[in-house]
Amino acid sequence: MSAGWFRRRFLPGGPLPEPQPPGPRSSPVPYHRPRFLRGSGSSPGATDTSRRSDSRPVRCPARGRTLPWNAGYAEIINAEKSEFNEDQAACGKLCIQRCEFGIEDEWLTVCPEEDDVIGRELEASGQVGGCTALVAVSLQGKLYVANAGDSRAILVRRDEIRVLSSEFTPETERQRIQQLAFIYPELLAGEFTRLEFPRRLKGDDLGQKVLFRDHHMNGWSYKQVEKSDLKYPLIHGQGRQARLLGTLAVSRGLGDHQLRVLDTNIQLKPFLLSIPQVTVLDVDQLALQEEDVVVMATDGLWDVLSNEQVARLVRSFLTGNREDPHRFSELAKVLIHNTQGKDDGATGEGQVSYDDVSVFVIPLHSPGQGSGGH
């Protein structure tokens, strides 16, 4: 599905506009919140779980608006990084029809050139930038989770936590990125080194033996420092601070066709992979309980809470709120509440996430649920 199709299907507004000449203008693709947040109110008191006035209210769908599968959702805007939540969400039911040979039929397909389609749409609309994507699709008894970026989805059950997606960062995809630089050294433009060192090397290190890693290595080895090793590393930093070419914190995603290293003509796009990792969960093989849920959230949540902390909050909340028909959205708000430094004893740290946070809580147990696609 193209970015335009997705926007037309789930977001307000019509098709992408016609190309416009360069020059200052307002965005041709206005920013919108998800349709299911309409009527949720904008005042902190309407949807805020902090029980006090807050400049960063937690928003969720209005109580009269039910999401498919009774899923819960909540979000919070960043701490003044931008005027809106950059972590867009969408939720809906799709009709997928079988395409028989020789019969013209409308159906949903994802083609290998999809990132090129997005590139053409961005160019036509005068837009720049990129995004990551985390998608869950329920189809005929199976849950398909596709991830291209740094969001995460986990399955939480009474006695199990199952990771359904993994973050793709320069650090987790080090070997793939280094191998690409090995095959196509011209991508580094003579400004970067593909080798990884435990620290940034300096002139005083010339001739010394230091630890290093290359694309074919899982562990470390020693080498004598040469002048070329003093160049800026292809991947620099560790954990959430790791950056690709000193610029980007993710290694998979869509878009970013025009992104270049600051003050250079070095492109990052060749190192970015748009192909998602897909995990398939055979839901029909699980003896589902009412408290079994999938938690999908953007990186702002996982920067603060671990899988185990989220699971503890999920189990504790759902067990004590079985009669609340809105418990899954309430749980989504509780998860965000625990990223705002309000330690309630469940997580123990009281850390604060200043990023955008968007959270889905999707119950897998649904009496009377059919086998159609969601």
Side-chain angles (χ1 to χ4, degrees):
M1 70 196 79
S2 73
W5 177 91
F6 187 81
R7 188 179 298 112
R8 289 188 293 269
R9 177 63 179 81
F10 290 110
L11 300 177
L16 285 169
E18 295 297 322
Q20 300 181 23
R25 65 184 186 276
S26 60
S27 171
V29 184
Y31 176 83
H32 295 283
R33 293 313 308 133
R35 288 181 175 179
F36 55 76
L37 280 184
R38 291 176 180 174
S40 64
S42 58
S43 64
T47 54
D48 188 16
T49 59
S50 64
R51 295 179 297 277
R52 64 178 176 83
S53 177
D54 198 327
S55 60
R56 300 178 65 202
V58 179
R59 292 184 171 88
C60 69
R63 283 188 167 251
R65 185 179 294 272
T66 303
L67 299 186
W69 234 356
N70 199 31
Y73 176 81
E75 67 173 33
I76 189 170
I77 193 172
N78 59 77
E80 299 182 358
K81 180 177 68 174
S82 65
E83 296 180 358
F84 49 79
N85 183 350
E86 297 176 345
D87 295 347
Q88 281 278 35
C91 181
K93 295 183 179 180
L94 303 178
C95 179
I96 302 178
Q97 298 174 313
R98 185 183 301 276
C99 182
E100 301 292 346
F101 180 76
I103 300 177
E104 291 186 3
D105 203 353
E106 181 180 358
W107 68 317
L108 185 64
T109 181
V110 178
C111 61
E113 298 82 14
E114 191 58 42
D115 202 53
D116 293 333
V117 174
I118 293 174
R120 291 194 295 270
E121 289 188 349
L122 290 174
E123 183 177 357
S125 62
Q127 298 294 289
V128 296
C131 71
T132 62
L134 176 64
V135 178
V137 177
S138 172
L139 181 64
Q140 296 184 335
K142 291 183 172 61
L143 184 71
Y144 299 84
V145 178
N147 182 44
D150 56 354
S151 296
R152 188 189 309 171
I154 64 172
L155 167 66
V156 178
R157 307 187 71 196
R158 183 177 300 174
D159 55 358
E160 177 188 12
I161 303 173
R162 191 179 304 185
V163 177
L164 301 179
S165 72
S166 301
E167 288 91 329
F168 289 105
T169 68
E171 190 174 46
T172 62
E173 291 207 278
R174 174 188 63 84
Q175 288 181 291
R176 177 186 70 79
I177 295 171
Q178 284 182 321
Q179 184 179 34
L180 190 63
F182 170 75
I183 299 173
Y184 302 102
E186 64 272 14
L187 295 177
L188 301 181
E191 298 290 335
F192 293 84
T193 173
R194 74 170 189 274
L195 301 182
E196 180 187 14
F197 302 96
R199 60 178 176 81
R200 180 73 192 277
L201 300 181
K202 301 178 181 179
D204 294 343
D205 294 312
L206 282 172
Q208 304 297 317
K209 284 190 174 182
V210 297
L211 291 170
F212 83 103
R213 284 197 298 190
D214 204 348
H215 66 91
H216 60 281
M217 302 166 59
N218 290 317
W220 297 82
S221 185
Y222 280 97
K223 78 178 300 289
Q224 192 172 37
V225 177
E226 304 171 14
K227 189 174 181 179
S228 60
D229 298 327
L230 302 182
K231 296 177 181 178
Y232 201 87
L234 172 62
I235 300 170
H236 183 63
Q238 296 180 337
R240 292 288 182 180
Q241 304 304 316
R243 293 292 184 272
L244 172 61
L245 296 174
T247 305
L248 202 59
V250 294
S251 56
R252 295 201 190 192
L254 307 173
D256 282 323
H257 295 78
Q258 297 84 10
L259 185 60
R260 287 171 168 77
V261 178
L262 184 64
D263 294 331
T264 77
N265 200 35
I266 302 175
Q267 294 183 314
L268 277 80
K269 186 60 179 177
F271 293 99
L272 304 180
L273 195 61
S274 59
I275 300 173
Q277 176 195 59
V278 179
T279 301
V280 182
L281 180 66
D282 194 340
V283 179
D284 284 349
Q285 298 301 313
L286 300 175
L288 294 175
Q289 304 294 322
E290 289 188 20
E291 289 79 23
D292 294 347
V293 299
V294 170
V295 177
M296 298 173 60
T298 54
D299 57 322
L301 181 84
W302 307 111
D303 285 344
V304 174
L305 300 178
S306 67
N307 295 345
E308 291 73 21
Q309 290 170 327
V310 168
R312 285 200 298 271
L313 289 166
V314 167
R315 292 164 181 156
S316 174
F317 184 88
L318 292 182
T319 300
N321 294 272
R322 288 175 176 164
E323 304 303 319
D324 184 356
H326 307 286
R327 60 190 179 278
F328 299 111
S329 276
E330 292 299 321
L331 172 56
K333 291 194 289 186
V334 166
L335 292 174
I336 292 181
H337 176 80
N338 277 266
T339 69
Q340 302 304 297
K342 307 172 182 68
D343 182 13
D344 61 1
T347 60
E349 283 82 8
Q351 298 184 63
V352 180
S353 174
Y354 296 99
D355 201 358
D356 302 290
V357 185
S358 294
V359 179
F360 275 110
V361 177
I362 307 171
L364 294 183
H365 182 271
S366 181
Q369 170 190 324
S371 60
H374 295 271

